[in-house]
Amino acid sequence: GLAARGHRIDLVTYPFGMDAQWRCPEGCRIHRVNTGLRYPAQHPGLHPVKPLLDAALARLLEEVVRWRGADLIHAHSFEGLAAALWVRRQTRTPVLYHSHTLLGEELPTYYRPGPVRFLSKWAGLAADRLLPPRADHCIALSPRAARTFQRMGVRSDRISCLPPFVIHPDPGP
């Protein structure tokens, strides 16, 4: 939608995802991290390769922001937010965080009950308190997530609640 309105869009992403049939809209350019690292894209949660990919993502994002003169970084997911906040320190480019989940709720789902699940919940809650309040603005997918952001320290004037847009199939005649 933004590209259709004349905005230049640079999508900085991992080296996988979006099959070859997906076409980037006119006005949109994809920049993929090129590290040679292998990672099972369908693997949810933590993986030993992810921190290396995240560091490469942050480096590429900084290059693109400087080279293309970005006005705004629209960060998705926690990895995107962490990379965007690092780049903002280097470039002063504002960061809009588009939340997909609360990490304190997501991380424990990857583990069986026990100490690792408890520690992952604690780490996720710490990340929820640390990163989103540092963004210039946050988009929450639900009123509950928006309230949680407020409890985590994000000012209410820096939160917008935008539920996911769903396109329903055309029912036909």
Side-chain angles (χ1 to χ4, degrees):
L2 291 171
R5 294 182 64 172
H7 296 276
R8 189 187 72 235
I9 308 297
D10 288 282
L11 176 62
V12 179
T13 187
Y14 293 121
F16 46 77
M18 293 185 270
D19 64 27
Q21 295 183 349
W22 185 83
R23 289 179 9 113
C24 192
E26 190 172 325
C28 178
R29 184 171 180 183
I30 298 176
H31 308 267
R32 291 190 183 276
V33 170
N34 185 12
T35 63
L37 294 171
R38 298 285 177 237
Y39 169 77
Q42 71 280 5
H43 183 281
L46 303 175
H47 190 277
V49 171
K50 284 290 290 276
L52 300 171
L53 284 173
D54 294 340
L57 183 76
R59 277 195 311 272
L60 178 58
L61 177 61
E62 182 180 2
E63 286 176 21
V64 170
V65 165
R66 289 185 189 280
W67 174 53
R68 302 278 285 173
D71 297 321
L72 174 75
I73 301 171
H74 188 162
H76 288 258
S77 76
F78 257 82
E79 296 93 332
L81 176 58
L85 291 173
W86 185 82
V87 171
R88 186 184 66 190
R89 280 188 76 161
Q90 314 306 314
T91 66
R92 297 195 170 147
T93 306
V95 172
L96 170 64
Y97 172 49
H98 200 136
S99 167
H100 290 234
T101 184
L102 297 165
L103 214 52
E105 294 176 357
E106 179 188 355
L107 279 182
T109 66
Y110 301 125
Y111 304 101
R112 293 187 186 119
V116 174
R117 180 180 252 178
F118 172 80
L119 288 173
S120 67
K121 181 174 182 67
W122 180 84
L125 288 170
D128 286 334
R129 290 181 194 280
L130 180 67
L131 295 181
R134 287 177 167 69
D136 295 285
H137 198 86
C138 294
I139 296 175
L141 298 181
S142 69
R144 185 182 70 78
R147 288 189 302 274
T148 301
F149 277 147
Q150 283 183 289
R151 284 195 309 274
M152 299 291 187
V154 180
R155 292 190 340 238
S156 62
D157 64 327
R158 291 181 28 214
I159 301 171
S160 295
C161 183
L162 299 173
F165 180 72
V166 177
I167 297 173
H168 295 283
D170 184 6

